[in-house]
Amino acid sequence: MGRNGLTSRPNPRRPGYLALRGAQQPEFPPIPTNPIILRVAVAAPLAGLFDYLPLADADLGQMIPGVRLLVPFGRGRRVGILVETAGHSDQDSERLKPISAVLDATPVLGPDDLLLIRWAADYYRAPLGEALFSALPVRLRSADARLTNGLPGLRATVAGRVLALADLGRAAGQRRLLEVLLTAPQGLATLHLKARLGPCAGPRKALRERGLIEPCRVAAVAASVPTPVSAPEVAAAAPVAVGPALNAEQTRAVAAMTAAMGGFVPFVLDGVTGSGKTEVYIRLIERVIAAGRQALVLVPEIGLTPQLRDRLGQRLPGLHAVLHSALPETERESAWHSAVAGRATLVLGTRSACFVPLPRLGLIVVDEEHDVSLKQQEGFRYSARDLAVRRAQQAGCPVVLGSATPSMETLYNARVGRYRRLHLSERAGGARAPAIALLDIRSQPMSAGLSPALRDQVATQTGAGNQVLLFLNRRGYAPVLTCHDCGWVGACPHCDARLTLHLRLRRIWCHHCGWFQTTPSTCPDCRGTDLRGLGLGTERLEEELRAVFPAVNLARIDRDSTRRKGELDRLLAASRTGEIQILLGTQMLAKGHDFPGVTLVGILDLDHSLYAADFRAPERTAQLIVQVAGRAGRAQRPGRVVLQTRHPEHPLLRSLIKDGYPGFAELALAEREAAQLPPFAHLALLRADAPDAEVPMDFLRQARALALTLQGELVCTRAAVSSPVPAPMERRAGRYRAQLLLEGPDRPGLQRFLELWVSRLWTLPRTRGLRWSLDVDPQDMM
């Protein structure tokens, strides 16, 4: 017996299909004779599909895979997605119940979308329902949401429609807003108004107070454009600005990728920082839009979207949809609908945007393809980069993986011929690559995180009117709060981690689970008052730098300083105009940003990452150094990078200085091959956690026993199964975590093994409080 009163029976076509048990269910309408069987995925971490019957009076023409259904589930009801229909069920007919309602007149996911998500769920061994619903806007995961409900918008009232625009006098903002609304009697979605007119809260408020406009709901298919237009008409709109001339390498890259339009070819655009990769993307997208197709651009982090969004908006025609988690849900859903309806010519988003339905997909671009943020770390654990390649293959269009520091997996795929590699070895506009120097800080007196030599260079550059970027990947005031009298150290009560001191907020904060408390005024152990912050975070560094350089305009850019809406955009704009002379920040500053005035980059402390236990740590450290260094010297003024270290003899640093990232990558690939680590082998990590430390270890021991038994049955498998071990951070958010690693020399063999193994894992007894998940191709071993 499973959870929620479910029974399961093996299905010869697909193991793990389930049907609802009949106990404790409400009254249902009569069941039709000779029914079709509806196979439904629900949003739950449960394997398989669930078999249901249609309603007696159902229009079977509505039973199209991809529509949402309301279904009885356990003692309640849940939203499900119809995946397929069948003529019979392996369950007894008396166990089957009819659905409660059909929620959509048309499918929310089309055949291609279902095909992609089913493939992803199979590859990552995730419950199909969990995968399907992660691809939908949040509102559409609810039974109350209907596609016909429309989206929030505004329309002109009767008074507004008869008013002469000249009567608005000098209120240009109000006049423009009303003029736009008069072109769409049915109203316009608020998101579209913002995209077309910019921030217009003042004019909206004024016109509503005058009774000239009113709120309304706008049908989703009409929400993305002011009037119905065809796709060619959208594509024919004129761009706003003209881009710079391409250099020879950019021209060859654009020509090669343009020649591949209309077919699947995976490209690696390997370009040094500042080489103009974004300009190459723009030229390709221009061609895609001109052909009446849609383009999808994926970025790893929200912080990269504002600058890229603005640049794409200045150059590319048509409506652009932006999707990321920082947007209000209504705006995200409106953007999703504009993409689904084919109105958006360009979709720009973070990793979940890889699932957005696009009826005319012609190109996929993955910027900063090496970034670990492209891998989902909770729930449905997928790689947006790898799914982008699969989606492009399915759609028959090119995919471009762009980076100055390609991942080892991507470089290997290019080496063996799976991907086509294009190089951009020169900086655009004649800019020169910055010189990188190691600065040995052993025995050096440090002030504000700077050695005397780096402090002098900062003073010289700011005195000359240039900008300086200082990088410290540690936010907060200090990583540790301690009592100088007795040695007490602030520790998280829920994690095996220290609490970070945030001085301005007067909090000590766990950066792992989010728990915090007010900073104590006395030591909890000895009641002493000499509490001190140990170590350096960006908040403390800002305070000390202001004391050292009191006449210099300085800004800190990290997650704490940019919490307010619009603050990140404001700081980045001020940095680009030269208003800010010293930029201090974390990895938010490391990728994708163009600061033409920066001539000096100081990397203050990366020593801790040189000796991390994760085998990917050297790769990520090298990528971070190169990405941060790439912010220097991007215009006509030469740049310089200074990396402070106590380990100047470290092989990674020496390799980067001597041979750059390409030389480091060749060395790293050779080491990976010798150790048979990815990309020369393939991994899967089974994680388990529970409030009790022994529970996850017991579950993983049972899982390992199943795996060893399965190895005996499958003589062809060569998967190596490790013993279960506690996670590197064993306790997190009050739960004890453990993990078990599987390794296989080839991907197909490991997938065959995982398919059978995971189906048996679902049959293991479940201790209350236990959670488990499988991470295929894990990027984070913590």
Side-chain angles (χ1 to χ4, degrees), residues 249-250 253 268-278 280-281 367-368 370 401-406 411 421-428 626-627 630-631 634 661-662:
E249 288 183 325
Q250 289 174 310
V268 179
L269 188 59
D270 182 0
V272 299
T273 54
S275 60
K277 293 185 290 295
T278 302
V280 172
Y281 302 156
D367 195 27
E368 308 292 355
H370 67 277
L401 309 179
S403 177
T405 54
L411 291 174
R421 189 175 180 184
L422 302 172
H423 293 271
L424 300 178
S425 60
E426 300 177 357
R427 286 193 154 188
V626 172
Q627 293 287 341
R631 301 314 105 196
R634 294 174 72 94
Y661 187 79

Side-chain angles (χ1 to χ4, degrees), residues 261 281 284-285 288 294-296 361-365 397-400:
M261 293 293 181
Y281 302 156
L284 293 172
I285 297 170
V288 169
Q294 294 171 288
L296 171 63
L361 181 61
L363 173 70
I364 303 177
V365 173
C397 72
V399 57
V400 181

Side-chain angles (χ1 to χ4, degrees), residues 1 14 130 294 297 301 509 625:
M1 187 67 63
R14 181 179 170 88
E130 195 171 43
Q294 294 171 288
V297 178
E301 294 182 12
W509 210 317
I625 291 172

Side-chain angles (χ1 to χ4, degrees), residues 1 14 42 107 137 159 180 183 267 278 302 316 417 499 502 504 528 580 594 616 672 678 708 766 774-775:
M1 187 67 63
R14 181 179 170 88
V42 297
V180 170
T183 67
F267 290 96
T278 302
I302 295 168
L316 296 170
L499 294 170
H502 289 255
R504 291 183 185 176
I580 297 170
D594 185 12
R616 298 185 193 275
R672 297 268 188 99
L708 296 177
R766 297 290 296 273
L774 185 68
D775 191 354

Side-chain angles (χ1 to χ4, degrees), residues 448 450 470 541-550 554 582 584:
L450 309 180
L470 299 177
L541 184 58
E542 177 189 17
E543 177 184 275
E544 295 182 0
L545 284 170
R546 291 190 186 280
V548 175
F549 303 102
L554 180 150
I582 296 180
L584 161 66

